Amino acid sequence: MYKKIAVETGLSNVVQSLHASGFHTTSLEGDDLKNVRAVVVKGDGTDILASPVNLHVPIINASGRSAEEVVEILRDRLS
């Protein structure tokens, strides 16, 4: 089964690396957050934590990290 990751708008380099690594992505701003395995954000994720959507998945802060580092973090957290 593939792993679907929600990615905040503006992280196109992360989306490209995730696709190249076999992950599927969806927009964080969309309504399709059901069945996501993790969330990637530009900041600390406090906006996500305060949202009405109740997510119990890892939230990865991409700030200061390369797209490859984000992919490696996701692989570690989801393995």
Side-chain angles (χ1 to χ4, degrees):
M1 184 177 146
Y2 67 86
K3 295 176 181 170
K4 184 162 70 168
I5 311 298
V7 182
E8 188 172 5
T9 301
L11 294 171
S12 58
N13 60 332
V14 172
V15 169
Q16 290 172 353
S17 288
L18 287 168
H19 288 175
S21 299
F23 290 93
H24 292 255
T25 61
T26 187
S27 171
L28 181 58
E29 290 76 17
D31 293 329
D32 191 22
L33 295 181
K34 195 172 168 183
N35 300 322
V36 296
R37 298 286 308 276
V39 174
V40 179
V41 295
K42 292 185 262 187
D44 61 7
T46 53
D47 291 343
I48 305 312
L49 297 173
S51 76
V53 176
N54 194 7
L55 294 174
H56 298 289
V57 297
I59 298 175
I60 309 301
N61 180 351
S63 178
R65 294 186 168 117
S66 70
E68 292 77 21
E69 287 175 306
V70 172
V71 170
E72 285 304 313
I73 290 168
L74 285 167
R75 282 185 179 146
D76 289 342
R77 295 255 184 107
L78 298 177
S79 60

Coordinates of all heavy atoms in Angstrom, one line a residue:
M1 N 0.8 -1.2 0.0 CA 0.0 0.0 0.0 C 0.9 1.3 0.0 O 1.9 1.3 0.7 CB -0.9 0.0 1.2 CG -1.9 1.1 1.3 SD -2.9 1.0 2.7 CE -3.2 2.7 3.1
Y2 N 0.5 2.2 -0.8 CA 1.3 3.4 -0.9 C 1.0 4.3 0.4 O 0.1 4.1 1.1 CB 1.0 4.2 -2.1 CG -0.5 4.8 -2.2 CD1 -0.7 6.0 -1.6 CD2 -1.5 4.1 -2.8 CE1 -2.0 6.5 -1.6 CE2 -2.8 4.6 -2.8 CZ -3.0 5.8 -2.2 OH -4.3 6.3 -2.3
K3 N 1.9 5.2 0.6 CA 1.8 6.1 1.7 C 1.5 7.5 1.2 O 2.2 8.1 0.4 CB 3.1 6.1 2.5 CG 3.4 4.8 3.1 CD 4.7 4.8 3.8 CE 4.9 3.4 4.4 NZ 6.3 3.2 4.9
K4 N 0.3 8.0 1.7 CA -0.1 9.4 1.2 C 0.3 10.4 2.3 O 0.0 10.2 3.5 CB -1.6 9.4 1.0 CG -2.1 10.7 0.5 CD -3.5 10.6 -0.1 CE -4.6 10.4 0.9 NZ -6.0 10.6 0.4
I5 N 0.9 11.5 1.8 CA 1.5 12.5 2.6 C 0.8 13.8 2.3 O 0.7 14.2 1.1 CB 3.0 12.7 2.4 CG1 3.7 11.3 2.5 CG2 3.5 13.7 3.4 CD1 3.6 10.6 3.8
A6 N 0.3 14.5 3.3 CA -0.3 15.9 3.0 C 0.8 16.9 3.1 O 1.6 16.9 4.1 CB -1.4 16.2 4.1
V7 N 0.9 17.8 2.1 CA 2.0 18.7 2.0 C 1.4 20.1 1.9 O 0.6 20.4 1.1 CB 2.9 18.4 0.8 CG1 4.1 19.4 0.8 CG2 3.5 17.0 0.9
E8 N 1.9 21.0 2.7 CA 1.5 22.4 2.7 C 1.9 23.1 1.4 O 3.0 22.8 0.8 CB 2.1 23.2 3.9 CG 1.6 24.6 4.1 CD 2.1 25.3 5.3 OE1 3.0 24.7 6.0 OE2 1.7 26.4 5.6
T9 N 1.0 24.0 0.9 CA 1.3 24.7 -0.4 C 2.6 25.4 -0.3 O 2.9 26.0 0.8 CB 0.2 25.7 -0.7 OG1 -1.0 24.9 -0.8 CG2 0.4 26.4 -1.9
G10 N 3.4 25.4 -1.3 CA 4.7 26.1 -1.4 C 5.9 25.2 -1.2 O 7.0 25.7 -1.2
L11 N 5.6 23.9 -1.0 CA 6.8 23.0 -0.8 C 6.9 22.1 -2.1 O 6.9 20.9 -1.9 CB 6.5 22.2 0.4 CG 6.6 23.0 1.7 CD1 6.2 22.1 2.9 CD2 8.0 23.5 2.0
S12 N 6.9 22.7 -3.2 CA 6.9 21.9 -4.5 C 8.1 21.0 -4.6 O 8.1 19.9 -5.1 CB 6.8 22.8 -5.7 OG 7.8 23.7 -5.7
N13 N 9.3 21.5 -4.1 CA 10.5 20.6 -4.1 C 10.3 19.4 -3.3 O 10.8 18.3 -3.6 CB 11.7 21.4 -3.7 CG 11.6 22.0 -2.3 OD1 10.5 22.2 -1.8 ND2 12.8 22.1 -1.6
V14 N 9.6 19.5 -2.1 CA 9.4 18.3 -1.3 C 8.4 17.4 -2.0 O 8.6 16.2 -2.0 CB 8.8 18.8 0.1 CG1 8.4 17.6 0.9 CG2 9.9 19.6 0.8
V15 N 7.4 17.9 -2.6 CA 6.4 17.1 -3.4 C 7.1 16.3 -4.4 O 6.9 15.1 -4.6 CB 5.3 18.0 -4.0 CG1 4.4 17.2 -4.9 CG2 4.4 18.6 -2.8
Q16 N 8.0 16.9 -5.2 CA 8.7 16.3 -6.3 C 9.6 15.1 -5.7 O 9.6 14.0 -6.3 CB 9.6 17.3 -7.0 CG 8.8 18.2 -7.9 CD 9.7 19.3 -8.5 OE1 10.8 19.4 -8.2 NE2 9.1 20.1 -9.4
S17 N 10.3 15.4 -4.6 CA 11.1 14.3 -4.0 C 10.3 13.2 -3.4 O 10.7 12.0 -3.5 CB 12.0 14.9 -2.9 OG 13.0 15.8 -3.4
L18 N 9.1 13.5 -2.9 CA 8.3 12.5 -2.3 C 7.8 11.6 -3.5 O 7.8 10.4 -3.4 CB 7.1 13.1 -1.6 CG 7.4 13.7 -0.2 CD1 6.2 14.5 0.3 CD2 7.8 12.6 0.8
H19 N 7.4 12.2 -4.6 CA 6.9 11.4 -5.7 C 8.0 10.5 -6.3 O 7.8 9.4 -6.6 CB 6.4 12.4 -6.8 CG 5.1 13.0 -6.5 ND1 4.5 13.9 -7.3 CD2 4.2 12.8 -5.5 CE1 3.3 14.3 -6.8 NE2 3.2 13.7 -5.6
A20 N 9.2 11.1 -6.4 CA 10.4 10.3 -6.9 C 10.7 9.1 -5.9 O 11.3 8.2 -6.4 CB 11.6 11.2 -7.0
S21 N 10.3 9.3 -4.7 CA 10.6 8.2 -3.7 C 9.4 7.2 -3.5 O 9.4 6.4 -2.6 CB 10.9 8.8 -2.4 OG 12.1 9.6 -2.5
G22 N 8.4 7.4 -4.3 CA 7.3 6.5 -4.3 C 6.1 6.8 -3.4 O 5.2 6.1 -3.2
F23 N 6.1 8.0 -2.8 CA 5.0 8.5 -2.0 C 4.0 9.2 -2.8 O 4.3 9.7 -3.9 CB 5.5 9.5 -0.9 CG 6.4 9.0 0.2 CD1 7.7 9.0 0.0 CD2 5.8 8.5 1.3 CE1 8.6 8.5 1.1 CE2 6.6 8.0 2.3 CZ 8.0 8.0 2.2
H24 N 2.7 9.2 -2.4 CA 1.7 10.0 -3.0 C 1.4 11.2 -2.1 O 1.6 11.1 -0.9 CB 0.4 9.1 -3.1 CG 0.5 8.0 -4.0 ND1 -0.1 8.0 -5.3 CD2 1.2 6.8 -4.0 CE1 0.2 6.9 -5.9 NE2 1.0 6.1 -5.1
T25 N 1.0 12.3 -2.7 CA 0.8 13.5 -1.9 C -0.6 14.1 -2.2 O -1.2 13.8 -3.2 CB 1.9 14.6 -2.3 OG1 1.8 14.9 -3.6 CG2 3.3 14.1 -2.0
T26 N -1.0 14.9 -1.2 CA -2.2 15.6 -1.4 C -2.0 17.0 -0.7 O -1.1 17.1 0.1 CB -3.4 14.9 -0.7 OG1 -4.6 15.6 -1.0 CG2 -3.2 14.8 0.8
S27 N -2.8 18.0 -1.1 CA -2.7 19.3 -0.6 C -3.1 19.3 0.9 O -4.2 18.7 1.2 CB -3.5 20.3 -1.4 OG -3.5 21.5 -0.8
L28 N -2.4 20.0 1.7 CA -2.8 20.1 3.1 C -4.1 21.0 3.2 O -4.9 20.7 4.1 CB -1.6 20.8 3.9 CG -1.9 21.0 5.4 CD1 -2.2 19.6 6.1 CD2 -0.6 21.6 6.0
E29 N -4.2 21.9 2.3 CA -5.4 22.8 2.4 C -6.6 22.1 1.8 O -7.7 22.7 2.0 CB -5.1 24.1 1.6 CG -4.0 25.0 2.2 CD -2.6 24.5 2.1 OE1 -2.3 23.6 1.2 OE2 -1.7 24.9 2.9
G30 N -6.5 21.0 1.2 CA -7.7 20.3 0.7 C -8.5 19.6 1.8 O -8.1 19.6 2.9
D31 N -9.6 19.0 1.3 CA -10.4 18.3 2.3 C -10.1 16.8 2.3 O -10.7 16.0 3.0 CB -11.9 18.4 1.8 CG -12.4 19.8 2.0 OD1 -11.9 20.5 2.9 OD2 -13.3 20.2 1.2
D32 N -9.1 16.4 1.5 CA -8.8 15.0 1.4 C -7.7 14.6 2.4 O -6.6 14.0 2.0 CB -8.4 14.7 0.0 CG -8.3 13.2 -0.3 OD1 -8.9 12.4 0.5 OD2 -7.6 12.8 -1.2
L33 N -7.8 14.8 3.7 CA -6.8 14.5 4.7 C -7.1 13.1 5.3 O -6.3 12.7 6.2 CB -6.7 15.6 5.7 CG -6.3 16.9 5.3 CD1 -6.2 17.9 6.4 CD2 -4.9 16.9 4.5
K34 N -8.1 12.5 4.8 CA -8.4 11.2 5.3 C -7.4 10.2 4.8 O -7.0 10.2 3.7 CB -9.8 10.8 4.8 CG -10.4 9.6 5.5 CD -11.9 9.5 5.0 CE -12.5 8.2 5.4 NZ -13.8 8.1 4.9
N35 N -6.9 9.3 5.7 CA -5.9 8.3 5.3 C -4.5 8.8 5.0 O -3.7 8.1 4.4 CB -6.4 7.5 4.1 CG -7.7 6.8 4.5 OD1 -7.9 6.3 5.6 ND2 -8.6 6.7 3.5
V36 N -4.2 10.1 5.4 CA -2.8 10.5 5.2 C -2.0 9.9 6.3 O -2.5 9.7 7.4 CB -2.7 12.1 5.2 CG1 -3.4 12.7 4.0 CG2 -3.1 12.7 6.5
R37 N -0.8 9.6 6.0 CA 0.1 8.9 7.0 C 1.0 9.9 7.7 O 1.6 9.6 8.8 CB 1.0 7.9 6.3 CG 0.3 6.8 5.6 CD -0.3 5.8 6.5 NE 0.7 5.3 7.5 CZ 1.5 4.3 7.2 NH1 1.5 3.6 6.1 NH2 2.4 3.9 8.2
A38 N 1.2 11.2 7.1 CA 2.0 12.2 7.7 C 1.6 13.5 7.1 O 1.0 13.6 6.0 CB 3.5 11.9 7.6
V39 N 2.1 14.6 7.7 CA 1.9 16.0 7.2 C 3.2 16.7 7.2 O 4.0 16.6 8.1 CB 0.9 16.7 8.1 CG1 0.8 18.2 7.7 CG2 -0.5 16.1 8.2
V40 N 3.5 17.4 6.1 CA 4.7 18.2 6.0 C 4.3 19.7 5.9 O 3.5 20.0 5.1 CB 5.5 17.8 4.7 CG1 6.8 18.7 4.6 CG2 5.9 16.3 4.7
V41 N 4.9 20.5 6.8 CA 4.5 21.9 6.8 C 5.8 22.8 6.7 O 6.9 22.3 6.9 CB 3.8 22.2 8.2 CG1 2.5 21.5 8.3 CG2 4.7 21.9 9.4
K42 N 5.6 24.1 6.4 CA 6.7 25.0 6.3 C 7.2 25.5 7.7 O 8.3 25.9 7.8 CB 6.3 26.2 5.5 CG 6.1 25.9 4.0 CD 5.8 27.1 3.2 CE 4.3 27.3 3.1 NZ 3.9 28.4 2.2
G43 N 6.3 25.5 8.6 CA 6.7 26.0 10.0 C 6.6 24.9 11.0 O 6.9 23.7 10.8
D44 N 6.2 25.3 12.2 CA 6.1 24.3 13.3 C 4.9 23.5 13.4 O 4.7 22.7 14.3 CB 6.4 25.1 14.7 CG 5.3 26.1 15.0 OD1 4.3 26.2 14.3 OD2 5.5 26.8 16.0
G45 N 3.9 23.8 12.5 CA 2.7 23.0 12.5 C 1.6 23.4 13.5 O 0.6 22.7 13.6
T46 N 1.8 24.6 14.2 CA 0.8 24.9 15.2 C -0.6 25.2 14.5 O -1.6 25.0 15.2 CB 1.2 26.2 16.0 OG1 1.6 27.2 15.1 CG2 2.4 25.8 16.9
D47 N -0.6 25.7 13.3 CA -1.9 26.0 12.6 C -2.6 24.7 12.4 O -3.8 24.6 12.5 CB -1.7 26.7 11.3 CG -1.2 28.1 11.4 OD1 -1.3 28.6 12.6 OD2 -0.6 28.7 10.5
I48 N -1.9 23.6 12.1 CA -2.4 22.3 11.8 C -3.0 21.7 13.1 O -4.1 21.2 13.1 CB -1.4 21.4 11.2 CG1 -0.7 22.0 10.0 CG2 -2.0 20.0 10.9 CD1 -1.6 22.5 8.9
L49 N -2.2 21.9 14.1 CA -2.7 21.3 15.4 C -3.9 22.0 15.9 O -4.7 21.4 16.7 CB -1.5 21.4 16.4 CG -0.3 20.6 16.1 CD1 0.8 21.0 17.1 CD2 -0.6 19.2 16.1
A50 N -4.1 23.3 15.5 CA -5.3 24.0 16.0 C -6.5 23.9 15.1 O -7.6 24.3 15.4 CB -4.9 25.5 16.1
S51 N -6.3 23.2 14.0 CA -7.4 23.0 13.0 C -8.5 22.0 13.6 O -8.2 21.2 14.4 CB -6.9 22.5 11.7 OG -6.6 21.2 11.7
P52 N -9.7 22.1 13.0 CA -10.7 21.2 13.5 C -10.5 19.8 13.1 O -11.1 18.9 13.6 CB -12.0 21.8 12.9 CG -11.5 22.6 11.8 CD -10.2 23.1 12.1
V53 N -9.6 19.6 12.1 CA -9.3 18.2 11.6 C -8.5 17.5 12.7 O -7.5 18.0 13.1 CB -8.6 18.2 10.3 CG1 -8.2 16.8 9.9 CG2 -9.4 18.9 9.2
N54 N -8.9 16.4 13.2 CA -8.2 15.7 14.2 C -7.2 14.7 13.6 O -7.6 13.6 13.3 CB -9.2 15.0 15.1 CG -8.6 14.5 16.4 OD1 -7.5 14.8 16.7 ND2 -9.4 13.8 17.2
L55 N -6.0 15.1 13.5 CA -5.0 14.3 12.8 C -4.1 13.6 13.9 O -3.6 14.3 14.8 CB -4.1 15.1 11.9 CG -4.7 15.6 10.7 CD1 -3.8 16.6 9.9 CD2 -5.3 14.5 9.8
H56 N -3.9 12.4 13.8 CA -3.0 11.7 14.7 C -1.8 11.0 13.9 O -1.7 9.8 13.9 CB -3.7 10.6 15.5 CG -4.8 11.1 16.4 ND1 -4.5 11.9 17.5 CD2 -6.1 11.1 16.2 CE1 -5.7 12.2 18.1 NE2 -6.7 11.8 17.3
V57 N -1.1 11.9 13.2 CA 0.0 11.5 12.3 C 1.2 12.4 12.6 O 1.1 13.4 13.2 CB -0.4 11.5 10.8 CG1 -1.6 10.6 10.5 CG2 -0.7 13.0 10.4
P58 N 2.4 11.9 12.2 CA 3.6 12.8 12.4 C 3.4 14.1 11.6 O 2.9 14.0 10.4 CB 4.7 11.9 11.8 CG 4.2 10.5 11.8 CD 2.7 10.6 11.7
I59 N 3.9 15.2 12.2 CA 3.9 16.5 11.5 C 5.4 16.8 11.4 O 6.1 17.0 12.3 CB 3.1 17.5 12.3 CG1 1.6 17.1 12.3 CG2 3.3 18.9 11.6 CD1 0.8 18.0 13.2
I60 N 5.8 16.9 10.1 CA 7.2 17.2 9.8 C 7.4 18.6 9.4 O 6.8 19.1 8.5 CB 7.7 16.3 8.7 CG1 7.4 14.8 8.9 CG2 9.2 16.5 8.4 CD1 7.9 14.2 10.1
N61 N 8.3 19.3 10.1 CA 8.6 20.7 9.8 C 9.7 20.7 8.7 O 10.9 20.3 9.0 CB 9.1 21.4 11.1 CG 9.5 22.9 10.8 OD1 9.5 23.3 9.7 ND2 9.7 23.6 11.9
A62 N 9.4 21.2 7.6 CA 10.4 21.3 6.5 C 11.3 22.5 6.5 O 12.3 22.5 5.7 CB 9.7 21.2 5.1
S63 N 11.1 23.4 7.4 CA 11.9 24.6 7.5 C 13.3 24.3 7.8 O 13.6 23.6 8.7 CB 11.3 25.5 8.5 OG 12.1 26.7 8.7
G64 N 14.3 24.8 6.9 CA 15.7 24.5 7.2 C 16.2 23.2 6.7 O 17.3 22.8 7.0
R65 N 15.3 22.4 6.1 CA 15.7 21.0 5.7 C 15.6 20.9 4.2 O 14.7 21.5 3.6 CB 14.8 20.0 6.3 CG 14.9 19.9 7.8 CD 14.0 18.7 8.3 NE 14.4 18.4 9.7 CZ 13.5 18.5 10.7 NH1 12.3 18.9 10.5 NH2 13.9 18.3 11.9
S66 N 16.4 20.1 3.6 CA 16.3 19.8 2.2 C 15.2 18.9 1.9 O 14.7 18.2 2.9 CB 17.6 19.2 1.6 OG 17.8 17.9 2.1
A67 N 14.7 18.8 0.7 CA 13.6 17.9 0.4 C 14.1 16.5 0.6 O 13.3 15.6 1.1 CB 13.3 18.1 -1.1
E68 N 15.3 16.1 0.4 CA 15.8 14.8 0.7 C 15.8 14.4 2.1 O 15.5 13.3 2.5 CB 17.2 14.6 0.1 CG 17.3 14.6 -1.4 CD 17.2 16.1 -2.0 OE1 17.4 17.1 -1.3 OE2 16.8 16.2 -3.2
E69 N 16.1 15.4 3.0 CA 16.1 15.2 4.4 C 14.6 14.9 4.9 O 14.4 14.1 5.7 CB 16.6 16.4 5.2 CG 18.1 16.6 5.1 CD 18.6 17.9 5.7 OE1 18.1 19.0 5.4 OE2 19.4 17.8 6.6
V70 N 13.7 15.6 4.3 CA 12.3 15.4 4.7 C 11.9 14.0 4.3 O 11.2 13.3 5.1 CB 11.4 16.5 4.0 CG1 9.9 16.1 4.2 CG2 11.7 17.9 4.5
V71 N 12.3 13.5 3.1 CA 11.9 12.2 2.7 C 12.5 11.2 3.6 O 11.9 10.2 4.0 CB 12.4 11.9 1.2 CG1 12.3 10.5 0.8 CG2 11.6 12.8 0.2
E72 N 13.8 11.4 4.0 CA 14.4 10.4 5.0 C 13.7 10.4 6.3 O 13.6 9.3 6.9 CB 15.9 10.8 5.1 CG 16.8 10.4 4.0 CD 16.7 8.9 3.6 OE1 16.7 8.1 4.5 OE2 16.5 8.6 2.4
I73 N 13.3 11.6 6.8 CA 12.6 11.6 8.1 C 11.3 10.9 8.0 O 10.9 10.1 8.9 CB 12.3 13.1 8.5 CG1 13.6 13.8 8.9 CG2 11.3 13.2 9.6 CD1 13.6 15.3 9.0
L74 N 10.6 11.0 6.9 CA 9.3 10.3 6.7 C 9.6 8.8 6.6 O 8.8 8.0 7.2 CB 8.6 10.8 5.4 CG 7.9 12.2 5.5 CD1 7.5 12.7 4.2 CD2 6.7 12.1 6.5
R75 N 10.6 8.4 5.9 CA 10.9 7.0 5.8 C 11.1 6.4 7.2 O 10.7 5.3 7.5 CB 12.1 6.7 4.9 CG 11.8 6.8 3.5 CD 13.0 6.5 2.7 NE 12.7 6.5 1.2 CZ 13.6 6.9 0.3 NH1 14.8 7.2 0.6 NH2 13.2 6.9 -1.0
D76 N 11.9 7.1 8.0 CA 12.2 6.7 9.4 C 10.9 6.6 10.2 O 10.7 5.6 10.9 CB 13.2 7.6 10.1 CG 14.6 7.4 9.5 OD1 14.9 6.4 8.8 OD2 15.4 8.3 9.7
R77 N 10.1 7.6 10.2 CA 8.9 7.7 11.0 C 7.8 6.7 10.6 O 7.1 6.3 11.4 CB 8.3 9.1 11.0 CG 9.2 10.2 11.6 CD 8.7 10.6 12.9 NE 9.5 11.7 13.5 CZ 9.1 12.9 13.6 NH1 7.9 13.2 13.2 NH2 9.9 13.8 14.1
L78 N 7.8 6.4 9.3 CA 6.7 5.6 8.8 C 7.1 4.1 8.6 O 6.3 3.3 8.2 CB 6.2 6.1 7.5 CG 5.6 7.5 7.6 CD1 5.2 8.0 6.2 CD2 4.4 7.6 8.6
S79 N 8.3 3.8 8.9 CA 8.8 2.4 8.7 C 8.4 1.5 9.9 O 8.1 1.9 11.0 CB 10.3 2.3 8.5 OG 11.0 2.8 9.6

